[in-house]
Structures are given as C-alpha cells and as structure tokens.
Amino acid sequence: MLLSRHRALTLTAISERLGRSKSGMHSILNTLRDRGFVERLPAGGYRLGTRAWDLGRASFSFEIGELAKPELEKLEQRTGESVLLGVLDGFDVVYLRTLPGNHPVRVNVQSGERQPANLTSTGLALLAALDDSQIAAMLPDDFR
C-alpha cells in the first residue's frame, strides 16, 4: 500500500516509514522486483511494477468498472465528454474505468491510475459527499 500512494520512494524512505532495517527491506524489495511487483528506477527509487497492477485489476473494484461500462459508454455517446469512474482509496482517487470522449481536449487519465483527491474534479466531487470528520480522518500527514 505504501508504494501505491507514491510515484516512487527510496529504500531509506520505505525503511523509515515501515520501521524496518534497510538491509531487510532491500532483500524484500529485490524479491518483489524479481517477481515483477516492484520496479527499481534508474534514479534509485522504487515504484509498483506491472504484476502489482495486474493483481489490482483482478480485484472486485475493477469488476465494478466492467459492470458499469455499458452505462458509461451511453453517457460518453450522449455527451461526447470524457467519462470517469473513480473511487476513494484513502485520500487518493483510483480510476476504475475511463472513456475518452470525442473532444480534442480531454482528461488524460488511465484506468488503474491513482491521483490525490484534492487535485482532480473526480476527487473533489467524491470528497464533497463526505463530512468534515471523514475528510480529516483520511488526510495525509503532510496536510495536517
């Protein structure tokens, strides 16, 4: 979950946030990298790999995206606009299904992508449905 909330993290940052030794985390990250669940970037950071994304797509949330697809397609055809289906995961929006619309200027987001809720219209709409105490409980530490 830690890597899913960040574009990339260093070994030191991962170790500190999880309260584990760097040598122990290095071993775990190498195993995850060998199996495709984590990628090591040239600059030294780690991010989720394609196997982790594939595993996530197999979850129930992505089944919802498939079930909703016919209705989302109807909405896209009626409006010509981009259509996004997203859910909150902590303070992030995870997009379950995206359809591009037919206008030259479009929302550029892919299914499975994650964005901070406060930076997207989808996230702001989802946050607007919550009361202040619910939002406060999910705020990241750097927002407090």
Side-chain angles (χ1 to χ4, degrees):
M1 186 66 140
L2 179 65
L3 285 177
S4 68
R5 296 188 179 276
H6 301 277
R7 292 192 186 272
L9 289 174
T10 64
L11 174 61
T12 300
I14 295 168
S15 299
E16 288 174 357
R17 290 177 189 207
L18 296 177
R20 306 284 186 200
S21 71
K22 283 173 61 173
S23 61
M25 284 310 309
H26 186 262
S27 176
I28 290 168
L29 288 167
N30 277 339
T31 299
L32 291 171
R33 182 182 46 90
D34 290 344
R35 295 186 177 149
F37 289 100
V38 169
E39 293 178 358
R40 184 146 196 268
L41 302 175
Y46 292 87
R47 69 176 177 198
L48 287 181
T50 55
R51 293 278 312 270
W53 192 81
D54 289 340
L55 183 62
R57 286 196 40 90
S59 75
F60 176 71
S61 295
F62 287 96
E63 289 178 24
I64 293 171
E66 272 303 304
L67 292 172
K69 185 179 176 185
E71 296 304 315
L72 298 173
E73 287 174 339
K74 288 179 192 174
L75 183 59
E76 179 191 33
Q77 289 169 1
R78 270 197 355 239
T79 65
E81 298 292 340
S82 300
V83 178
L84 310 171
L85 174 62
V87 296
L88 285 174
D89 180 25
F91 198 67
D92 289 343
V93 174
V94 177
Y95 292 94
L96 305 180
R97 175 64 70 177
T98 63
L99 301 174
N102 61 15
H103 294 294
V105 178
R106 304 176 183 161
V107 175
N108 187 19
V109 66
Q110 301 296 317
S111 296
E113 192 171 322
R114 170 184 295 272
Q115 296 289 328
N118 64 311
L119 300 180
T120 70
S121 58
T122 303
L124 293 174
L126 291 168
L127 291 172
L130 303 176
D131 63 45
D132 290 346
S133 64
Q134 290 173 304
I135 294 171
M138 67 173 57
L139 277 177
D141 290 338
D142 51 343
F143 276 53
R144 296 173 193 215

